[in-house]
Amino acid sequence: NKDLPGTKIALFYETKGPRHGRIPNGNTRYVYDDIAYAAQTYFNDPNYFKINGCPVFYIYLARDVDERGKLVEAANIMRQAASDNGHCIYLVGDVAHGT
C-alpha cells in the first residue's frame, strides 16, 4: 500500500473453525492450493515480511493440527507448494499446550 511505506505484512492461516478452517479435523486437502495461491499473489510483494529471504507464514492453532498427527504433513505440503511457486517458506506455529 502506497500509504504505508515500509510496513511489512504476513499471512495468518486459519486451520480450524466451522467456516474458515483450512485443515478441518486434520484434513489437508486445501493446503497445497492455499499456499500456491499465497505464493503467487502475495509472496513477491516487496512489503511481505521475510526472514532470510523466505516469506513468513503463520499457522493458527498448529497444536490442533499436531494433535491430529497432521502437522508434519501439512508443513511438508506448505513447503512443497511454496517451492513449486519459486519460494522457500518460513513457518511459524503455536504448539504450546496450557494446563
Side-chain angles (χ1 to χ4, degrees):
N1 183 319
K2 65 181 179 174
D3 296 325
L4 300 172
T7 300
K8 298 296 182 185
I9 62 162
L11 297 177
F12 187 82
Y13 195 66
E14 178 73 55
T15 62
K16 186 176 177 179
R19 294 187 56 204
H20 303 294
R22 300 306 285 170
I23 307 179
N25 300 317
N27 188 326
T28 58
R29 71 179 172 263
Y30 302 117
V31 174
Y32 186 94
D33 289 342
D34 289 344
I35 303 306
Y37 176 82
Q40 295 163 15
T41 306
Y42 301 106
F43 290 177
N44 286 322
D45 188 293
N47 287 359
Y48 200 94
F49 180 49
K50 295 178 180 161
I51 295 176
N52 296 328
C54 299
V56 175
F57 197 80
Y58 293 90
I59 306 167
Y60 179 63
L61 291 176
R63 67 183 174 273
D64 183 69
V65 180
D66 185 48
E67 287 171 356
R68 295 177 186 280
K70 295 291 189 163
L71 185 58
V72 171
E73 177 184 337
N76 286 337
I77 293 169
M78 290 176 177
R79 288 186 184 104
Q80 187 63 56
S83 178
D84 289 350
N85 285 277
H87 296 278
C88 51
I89 193 169
Y90 193 101
L91 300 172
V92 179
D94 60 334
V95 292
H97 296 269
T99 55

